[in-house]
């Protein structure tokens, strides 16, 4: 049985991909864990690097997508691929080293010890963000606070994307009904897990802003979260989530 599949979405991550995959190989068990690279037809040749790694490393798989649609759709494609296997756990990890590969075993252990969803959290005691400017920090922390208040949940880092799901969480969520692409995608998955009665835990992490490549953050991603969060709450009250 496959213990865990690490979903690694990429778009123009040619310089980061190989170091990240090899770093994950140092902390995973290749005999029972896998890394799934989900590439959205990166024009910089990231997909070619991914194929080369898959040819060399038997625990690496590649899912090529026809075009860029956003982080949410890429992860959903990865989830479906992982669920088609016998994986017990499915993880979200950024390819730009914002998420420290060394923290992956902690998330896996939390789920093996009883959590249904383990979140790497910047905003619990012991968590931190590094190399962020004041505006970026305010947008991220304010977004999590905004979502927490409107949704009425205790999770402090709702916008974070460093996660480990037990497969039954993803099986119970209606993935076809999840259409968000950025921050809102991360908020929605955690909220749906809480609504379904699953146990969600936050583990402190040190989040470091990327060194290589450009940020995928945009105004559209922020605006999407602003209007989708109240809609999620309304749908939950109506029983349609």
């Amino acid at each position: 049985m496959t213990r865990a599949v690490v979903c690694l979405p990429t778009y123009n991550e040619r310089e980061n991909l190989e170091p990240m995959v090899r770093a994950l190989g140092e902390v995973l068990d290749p005999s029972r864990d896998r890394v799934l690279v989900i590439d959205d037809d990166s024009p910089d040749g990231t997909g070619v690097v991914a194929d080369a790694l898959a040819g060399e490393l038997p625990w690496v798989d590649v899912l090529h997508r026809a075009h860029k649609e956003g982080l949410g759709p890429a992860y959903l494609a990865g989830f479906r691929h992982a669920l088609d296997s016998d994986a017990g756990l499915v993880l979200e990890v950024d390819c730009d080293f914002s998420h420290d590969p060394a923290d992956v075993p902690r998330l896996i252990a939390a789920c093996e010890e009883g959590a249904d969803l383990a979140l790497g959290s910047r905003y619990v005691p012991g968590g931190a963000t590094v190399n962020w400017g004041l505006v970026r920090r305010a947008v991220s922390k304010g977004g999590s606070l905004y979502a927490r208040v409107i949704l009425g949940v205790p999770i402090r880092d709702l916008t974070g994307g460093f996660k480990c799901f037990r497969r039954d969480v993803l099986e119970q969520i209606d993935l076809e009904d999840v259409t968000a692409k950025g921050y809102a995608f991360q908020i929605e998955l955690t909220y749906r897990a809480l609504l379904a009665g699953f146990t969600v835990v936050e583990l402190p992490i040190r989040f470091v802003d990327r060194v290589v490549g450009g940020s995928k953050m945009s105004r559209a991603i922020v605006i999407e979260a602003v209007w989708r969060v109240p809609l999620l709450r309304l749908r939950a009250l109506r029983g349609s989530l």
Side-chain angles (χ1 to χ4, degrees), residues 85-122:
S85 72
D86 59 353
L89 303 172
V90 182
L91 290 93
E92 297 182 16
V93 180
D94 285 352
C95 189
D96 61 6
F97 284 92
S98 295
H99 302 146
D100 187 345
D103 286 327
V104 167
R106 295 172 54 222
L107 297 185
I108 290 175
C111 286
E112 290 181 327
E113 291 166 6
D116 297 308
L117 169 56
L119 311 177
S121 178
R122 298 160 290 184

Side-chain angles (χ1 to χ4, degrees), residues 1-5 82 85-90 111 165-168:
M1 180 177 178
T2 303
R3 179 180 65 161
V5 172
S85 72
D86 59 353
L89 303 172
V90 182
C111 286
F165 298 87
R166 294 175 62 90
R167 73 172 292 130
D168 52 341

Side-chain angles (χ1 to χ4, degrees), residues 51-75:
D51 287 337
L53 288 167
E56 175 190 348
L57 305 170
W59 42 272
V60 175
D61 301 306
V62 184
L63 179 60
H64 292 282
R65 287 162 44 80
H67 54 273
K68 183 181 180 183
E69 293 182 294
L71 190 66
Y75 268 130

Side-chain angles (χ1 to χ4, degrees), residues 1 3 5 12-13 16-17 22 33 38 43 47 65 67 88 102 121-122 130 167 178 184 186 192 205 211 216 225 239:
M1 180 177 178
R3 179 180 65 161
V5 172
N12 287 348
E13 295 288 358
N16 286 318
L17 179 58
R22 295 195 184 281
D33 300 325
I38 309 143
R65 287 162 44 80
H67 54 273
S121 178
R122 298 160 290 184
V130 180
R167 73 172 292 130
V178 179
Q186 304 296 0
R192 284 177 179 263
I205 61 165
V211 175
K216 308 301 193 298

